[in-house]
Amino acid sequence: MSTDTIEKPAGETRAFEADVSRLLHLMVHSVYSSRDVFLRELVSNAADACEKLRTLALTDESLLSGDPTLRIRIDADREAGTLAISDTGIGMSREELVTNLGTIARSGTRAFLEALENREAGSALIGQFGVGFYSAFMVADSVTVLSRRAGSDEAWAWTSDGSGSYTIAPVDPAEAPARGTRVLLTLKDDAKDFAEAETIERVVRQYAAHVPVPIDLAVSGEEPRQLVDGSALWLKSKSDVTPEEYREFYGLVSGGWDEPALTLHYRAEGRQEYSVLAFVPSMKPFDLFDPDRKGRVKLYVRRMFITDDANLLPSWLRFVRGVVDSEDLPLNLSREMLQSNPLIEAINKGLTGRLLTELGKLAENDAEAYLKIWENFGPVMKEGLYEAPDRRDALFNLARFRTTAGDGWRSLKEVLAAFRDNQTAFYFLTGDNLDTLKAAPQLEGFRARGVEVLLLADPVDAFWVQTALGYEGKPFKSVTQGAADLELIARVDAEASAPEAPPADLAALVTALKEKLGAAVSDVRASGRLAESPVCLVAPDFGPDRQFERLMSRSRPGAGAGSAPILELNPRHALIRALGEKAVAGNADVLEDAAVLLLGQARILDGEAPTDPAGFAKSLSRLMAGALSVG
């Protein structure tokens, strides 16, 4: 029976899972930048099915009995308005049809649905989230999937109009593929052009020209012809590949519609041989911060797909997409062998080094293009600063930072060149928000001396600075930890004319604040880092800095707040001078409220709320009432 005469089978009708129904509704009723995506996704699924069978047949040749050829065929009938995509791949059993087409088990589905609801160009997201099959309902009134698992005598049909349910039923094996899957679409009236040879050829050549499986096209009334020969692009010489072909293949392996920001194509020769075609995206993949942090580079062995779960790159380069084809690895790689195989480790080391080298060349030759990569993937690459000590020097050369020197990105080499006389360390400030960091009072003394400070607003920054020994012999030092050590660096602004508070006044205030704040602070002392603000908080000389301690307390609720901070006072500030006089005069009531307000103000300047908001408000009210002679 031909694909365009299959009747809807009688069988069990099931409702889609809630997420599937929601997804189908969005696909049918949303506005898409291009509906071509459906054909790319169905061809990609067919190619994956062929590659899976190729792999399984290595240990069970009987799966290929009767027809050893792996191929994809597209049949189009203009008059009937149907389109069928068939493959001779692994096929699906009844249970697999239900699992793969009736439910969505991928963890990214909910994120995809939210992204799809929040933007019009939803088709650009489909391939990234593994829900490509459902894109068929953008162009089809109904979809029938006929499938027979390789080696099975049973065949099954899955049918749905995308309205909320599907039917699954057995079919006569004579009416089903001998092996593999056939997806038959009854096209919508406004999608009949997808049954035209010109449209099909355009889409296939644009998005699937380099799948490692041949693709044939048969249009009613015409002789079948080959659209794709199944040759592997990564095995070709760079000189034989056009930029358009690279872009097409990037779309195939990434599921994205953006342009690759960097293309890496080479063949490694020597003790082991392997070919690489890898890409750095120009847009962030949806799963960039997936907790599993898995890579997305496919492993082939002599053109045979093995897995997309091999450790071919470290997790801090997980945004890279592409393929690696080895000449030396065994074809029957087990999961255990993938985890510990020395050849895999050698590929990982070689590919990582080559990527870092190419990124370094791009940073040197095209700074603007490199900065776009860094803005997208810098937070991920910085994970390598604490996970891969052997790559730390190379990553430091690639790293770019926001600093107090301006709004642009700065390299450590540029920051080092701007060191002031007697400056002995790279100073940094960590936090959650760049604007909050720029306003931090702890920076005032550094600005007054023209000392450039790294502003580190990514969560990963609080971790790598704990283990980084330094760069070019200069250590990293937090501006919120320990003494500022700024006495030997000359100020670039004019010294304030007001004299410092008399030592007796300051000493009396320090003693009074220590007494009233008690265990809330570990010390109270004069500050060398403040120039304008009256107070700030810093961490003790030993232990974590303020931001790292905050992150740790968030990740371990109930574990306590860690070590108490140090409250630093600006002896040049008018408020501190006035409170010093109150301390000498023994004005206990004012100092009681002042202690609460100074600590609360320091926490607010750090981006945190006072530990006792109600007490803070009462002290503020009393002082304001006294200043206004109220009550």
Side-chain angles (χ1 to χ4, degrees):
M1 181 178 288
S2 66
T3 60
D4 57 354
T5 60
I6 295 173
E7 298 179 357
K8 182 176 180 179
E12 180 184 1
T13 298
R14 293 184 168 204
F16 283 116
E17 277 194 344
D19 280 347
V20 180
S21 296
R22 182 177 164 209
L23 172 64
L24 291 174
H25 177 81
L26 286 170
M27 286 196 172
V28 173
H29 296 93
S30 296
V31 179
Y32 295 93
S33 60
S34 173
R35 296 197 293 183
D36 295 351
V37 63
F38 89 91
L39 188 52
R40 181 193 72 176
E41 293 302 317
L42 294 182
V43 168
S44 179
N45 289 346
D48 286 345
C50 290
E51 293 298 280
K52 288 176 182 177
L53 179 57
R54 193 200 306 266
T55 302
L56 291 173
L58 296 174
T59 55
D60 186 358
E61 294 182 359
S62 66
L63 294 175
L64 291 173
S65 61
D67 184 6
T69 305
L70 297 174
R71 63 185 181 278
I72 299 169
R73 175 170 167 142
I74 301 175
D75 290 273
D77 189 323
R78 288 180 295 236
E79 294 183 4
T82 60
L83 181 70
I85 297 89
S86 307
D87 65 71
T88 59
I90 188 63
M92 289 179 280
S93 65
R94 179 187 183 283
E95 291 72 20
E96 288 170 325
L97 282 169
V98 172
T99 300
N100 295 338
L101 306 185
T103 63
I104 303 180
R106 291 175 180 264
S107 60
T109 301
R110 191 165 302 280
F112 167 75
L113 291 171
E114 293 172 356
L116 188 59
E117 288 177 328
N118 292 329
R119 59 185 286 181
E120 291 186 348
S123 58
L125 297 168
I126 290 172
Q128 300 179 45
F129 285 81
V131 292
F133 169 78
Y134 303 101
S135 62
F137 289 98
M138 294 192 295
V139 299
D141 284 325
S142 67
V143 177
T144 296
V145 180
L146 294 175
S147 194
R148 187 204 303 242
R149 178 82 178 181
S152 174
D153 294 329
E154 295 182 343
W156 295 87
W158 180 102
T159 304
S160 177
D161 60 5
S163 62
S165 65
Y166 64 92
T167 298
I168 189 164
V171 295
D172 186 342
E175 299 177 352
R179 181 189 72 229
T181 301
R182 181 185 302 148
V183 181
L184 174 65
L185 313 181
T186 301
L187 297 170
K188 297 176 182 288
D189 288 339
D190 63 352
K192 295 294 179 63
D193 58 316
F194 285 107
E196 299 287 343
E198 296 79 8
T199 302
I200 297 169
E201 185 169 356
R202 173 184 61 79
V203 176
V204 169
R205 292 197 182 283
Q206 183 174 2
Y207 299 118
H210 306 293
V211 296
V213 182
I215 302 176
D216 295 329
L217 171 62
V219 177
S220 56
E222 299 180 9
E223 286 294 318
R225 55 196 174 91
Q226 188 176 79
L227 294 183
V228 175
D229 63 7
S231 62
L233 187 71
W234 58 86
L235 296 181
K236 295 182 178 180
S237 169
K238 290 174 63 175
S239 59
D240 294 333
V241 184
T242 67
E244 291 75 19
E245 288 177 317
Y246 279 132
R247 284 196 292 270
E248 292 166 11
F249 188 74
Y250 166 71
L252 181 68
V253 298
S254 70
W257 291 61
D258 57 318
E259 297 278 332
L262 178 68
T263 300
L264 181 63
H265 186 188
Y266 71 97
R267 180 174 178 81
E269 297 178 332
R271 297 181 62 182
Q272 61 174 307
E273 296 184 4
Y274 56 91
S275 298
V276 172
L277 181 50
F279 305 91
V280 175
S282 57
M283 292 174 56
K284 295 179 182 178
F286 86 98
D287 54 358
L288 185 60
F289 294 102
D290 187 330
D292 292 335
R293 303 193 307 150
K294 291 183 178 180
R296 295 294 187 271
V297 176
K298 299 177 183 293
L299 174 64
Y300 285 75
V301 174
R302 296 185 287 282
R303 280 199 61 201
M304 294 188 180
F305 175 72
I306 302 300
T307 182
D308 55 7
D309 197 26
N311 184 28
L312 297 174
L313 281 174
S315 61
W316 43 272
L317 288 175
R318 59 186 175 273
F319 52 86
V320 176
R321 301 294 191 260
V323 299
V324 171
D325 193 343
S326 171
E327 294 292 329
D328 305 306
L329 285 166
L331 289 169
N332 57 341
L333 278 169
S334 66
R335 179 173 294 275
E336 292 73 21
M337 291 178 67
L338 284 172
Q339 298 298 323
S340 59
N341 192 291
L343 294 179
I344 294 287
E345 294 175 2
I347 293 174
N348 182 306
K349 183 177 180 180
L351 180 54
T352 299
R354 187 66 176 264
L355 270 168
L356 296 182
T357 297
E358 293 302 316
L359 287 169
K361 290 179 181 178
L362 183 65
E364 184 177 346
N365 299 325
D366 191 343
E368 183 177 351
Y370 175 73
L371 285 179
K372 291 180 181 178
I373 292 177
W374 182 259
E375 286 174 346
N376 280 327
F377 306 116
V380 175
M381 292 173 64
K382 283 189 288 187
E383 293 174 10
L385 290 173
Y386 68 88
E387 291 185 356
D390 58 321
R391 300 289 186 182
R392 194 172 287 159
D393 289 342
L395 286 170
F396 273 144
N397 287 325
L398 292 172
R400 298 295 182 265
F401 299 94
R402 301 293 190 185
T403 76
T404 53
D407 294 329
W409 290 98
R410 299 270 285 172
S411 67
L412 288 180
K413 186 177 294 186
E414 291 171 321
V415 176
L416 180 61
F419 265 33
R420 297 296 314 282
D421 291 341
N422 299 323
Q423 182 179 345
T424 59
F426 287 95
Y427 291 99
F428 67 86
L429 176 62
T430 56
D432 298 323
N433 178 278
L434 190 60
D435 291 333
T436 301
L437 291 179
K438 290 178 180 178
Q442 292 93 338
L443 295 175
E444 294 169 357
F446 295 88
R447 283 200 180 98
R449 291 165 174 80
V451 174
E452 188 172 0
V453 178
L454 308 178
L455 302 177
L456 308 179
D458 294 320
V460 66
D461 292 322
F463 294 89
W464 70 258
V465 293
Q466 301 295 318
T467 58
L469 299 178
Y471 176 76
E472 295 293 338
K474 305 293 184 182
F476 293 94
K477 184 172 177 57
S478 172
V479 302
T480 66
Q481 184 175 26
D485 298 333
L486 295 176
E487 294 80 4
L488 297 178
I489 302 177
R491 294 171 66 101
V492 294
D493 61 344
E495 290 284 347
S497 57
E500 293 187 357
D505 289 5
L506 184 62
L509 179 59
V510 166
T511 299
L513 292 178
K514 284 182 179 180
E515 178 183 347
K516 297 184 181 302
L517 293 175
V521 295
S522 60
D523 196 9
V524 180
R525 68 189 183 196
S527 177
R529 74 190 87 220
L530 290 173
E532 301 169 5
S533 300
V535 291
C536 72
L537 292 175
V538 298
D541 293 85
F542 302 101
D545 77 344
R546 297 273 297 147
Q547 173 66 1
F548 185 78
E549 194 165 79
R550 281 194 288 265
L551 286 174
M552 289 297 96
S553 64
R554 292 173 195 166
S555 65
R556 295 177 297 180
S563 59
I566 296 171
L567 179 66
E568 288 196 347
L569 311 177
N570 181 0
R572 303 163 56 83
H573 197 279
L575 175 60
I576 301 303
R577 290 174 51 78
L579 289 174
E581 294 174 1
K582 295 291 185 182
V584 171
N587 195 328
D589 291 340
V590 171
L591 290 175
E592 187 78 39
D593 288 325
V596 174
L597 292 175
L598 288 176
L599 180 58
Q601 181 182 8
R603 288 181 59 85
I604 292 171
L605 290 171
D606 251 10
E608 297 182 299
T611 52
D612 180 10
F616 180 85
K618 289 178 181 177
S619 294
L620 181 60
S621 296
R622 282 194 294 266
L623 281 182
M624 291 179 66
L628 297 173
S629 300
V630 177

